[in-house]
């Protein structure tokens, strides 16, 4: 019976990993195309001119979000964390700076790049709001691990990861939105992109609540008992 439960949990963990990687692929492919434009001397267009004029922020964002989304996905596999604790800690030391760079570069682009067609002031405000929430979540996660409150740390890093994965959910929602309303319809883009962040955070809260029911708060326990995205120990 115990073996069956363990097998089921392991299968669910690897299914989660697969889903997170697939969710990352759409924005990663878009980032790869953008990277090719920036490094391949693409001709300026209405879609890429703002990036060609100021390429550093978008380069930082593409690289950091790729590392954060892929490496972070593996932190949701408990068996891997237990077997390779040293890898888990090393990966965590990469995730904090890449997560912060993801959020801060995204906020910089929202604030200083010219708005593309279909983006307005409300969407800019949402990008700044959720970017700030991601930074705050990472900082609260750091505070949790410093205070050896490992479950609290894992909860905040889960929220940060959910926000960082917003681009994947946005891509899924914007495909039917573009078909119905057009790719530059400002209201639909704003609603759908905002909804993507809300959906991701709702899923994160469901994961956190389920984990809380299964495990006690181990404020002085080992970090392997919670979804620790940084692996830093005090």
């Amino acid at each position: 019976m115990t073996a069956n439960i363990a097998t089921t949990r392991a299968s669910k963990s690897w299914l989660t990993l697969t889903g997170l990687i697939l969710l990352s692929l759409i924005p990663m492919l878009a980032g790869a195309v953008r990277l090719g434009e920036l490094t391949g001397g693409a001709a300026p267009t209405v879609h890429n001119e703002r990036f060609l004029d100021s390429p550093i922020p978008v380069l930082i964002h593409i690289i950091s979000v790729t590392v954060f989304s892929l490496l972070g996905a593996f932190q949701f596999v408990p068996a891997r964390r237990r077997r390779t604790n040293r890898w888990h800690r090393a990966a965590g030391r990469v995730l904090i700076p890449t997560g912060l760079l993801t959020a801060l570069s995204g906020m910089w682009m929202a604030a200083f790049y010219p708005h593309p067609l279909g983006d307005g002031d409300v969407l800019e405000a949402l990008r700044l709001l959720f970017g700030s929430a991601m930074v705050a979540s990472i900082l609260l996660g750091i505070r949790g691990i410093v205070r050896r409150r490992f479950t609290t740390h894992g909860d905040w890093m889960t929220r940060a990861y959910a926000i960082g994965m917003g681009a994947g959910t946005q891509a899924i929602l914007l495909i039917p939105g573009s078909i119905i309303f057009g790719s530059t319809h400002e209201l639909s883009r704003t609603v759908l992109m905002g909804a993507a962040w809300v959906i991701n955070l709702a899923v994160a809260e469901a994961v956190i609540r389920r984990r809380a029911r299964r495990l006690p708060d181990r404020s002085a326990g080992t970090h392997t008992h919670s979804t620790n995205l940084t692996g830093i120990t005090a």
Side-chain angles (χ1 to χ4, degrees):
M1 183 67 175
T2 303
N4 290 336
I5 293 174
T7 301
T8 301
R9 288 181 177 176
S11 298
K12 288 182 177 179
S13 295
W14 287 104
L15 185 62
T16 298
L17 172 63
T18 302
L20 291 174
I21 291 176
L22 290 175
L23 190 63
S24 305
L25 285 180
I26 299 175
M28 282 175 53
L29 291 173
V33 172
R34 188 72 65 199
L35 196 62
E37 290 179 342
L38 294 173
T39 58
T45 68
V46 68
H47 300 292
N48 66 16
E49 187 174 9
R50 63 190 187 280
F51 301 121
L52 295 176
D53 289 341
S54 181
I56 293 178
V58 71
L59 285 173
I60 292 173
H61 189 74
I62 291 170
I63 295 170
S64 60
V65 75
T66 299
V67 174
F68 183 74
S69 59
L70 288 181
L71 199 57
F74 285 91
Q75 303 292 63
F76 285 87
V77 182
R80 183 177 181 86
R81 294 201 309 271
R82 288 192 292 268
R83 289 198 306 267
T84 55
N85 192 39
R86 183 176 298 178
W87 177 91
H88 173 66
R89 294 182 182 183
R93 289 177 172 86
V94 175
L95 284 165
I96 280 182
T98 55
L100 290 172
L101 284 173
T102 295
L104 293 172
S105 60
M107 293 168 66
W108 195 99
M109 290 189 293
F112 297 108
Y113 276 173
H115 291 170
L117 293 175
D119 286 16
D121 293 337
V122 176
L123 183 53
E124 177 184 341
L126 287 176
R127 285 190 169 114
L128 294 175
L129 172 64
F130 284 103
S132 299
M134 184 175 174
V135 171
S137 295
I138 293 174
L139 295 179
L140 288 168
I142 295 172
R143 186 179 70 171
I145 204 68
V146 168
R147 295 183 176 183
R148 301 185 66 81
R149 296 192 60 86
F150 302 112
T151 300
T152 300
H153 161 77
D155 292 348
W156 282 112
M157 294 305 298
T158 298
R159 294 181 181 108
Y161 187 77
I163 297 172
M165 292 291 287
T169 308
Q170 287 166 352
I172 294 173
L173 295 181
L174 285 174
I175 291 172
S178 297
I179 295 172
I180 297 170
F181 302 104
S183 61
T184 59
H185 189 264
E186 184 174 324
L187 178 60
S188 66
R189 280 179 57 82
T190 301
V191 171
L192 291 173
M193 292 183 74
W197 280 307
V198 173
I199 290 170
N200 280 17
L201 283 173
V203 172
E205 292 302 324
V207 170
I208 290 168
R209 289 177 181 273
R210 186 173 68 246
R211 190 164 61 222
R213 289 194 299 268
R214 190 168 65 241
L215 296 171
D217 184 11
R218 301 179 182 271
S219 59
T222 61
H223 72 285
T224 55
H225 293 289
S226 64
T227 304
N228 179 340
L229 288 186
T230 64
I232 297 175
T233 56

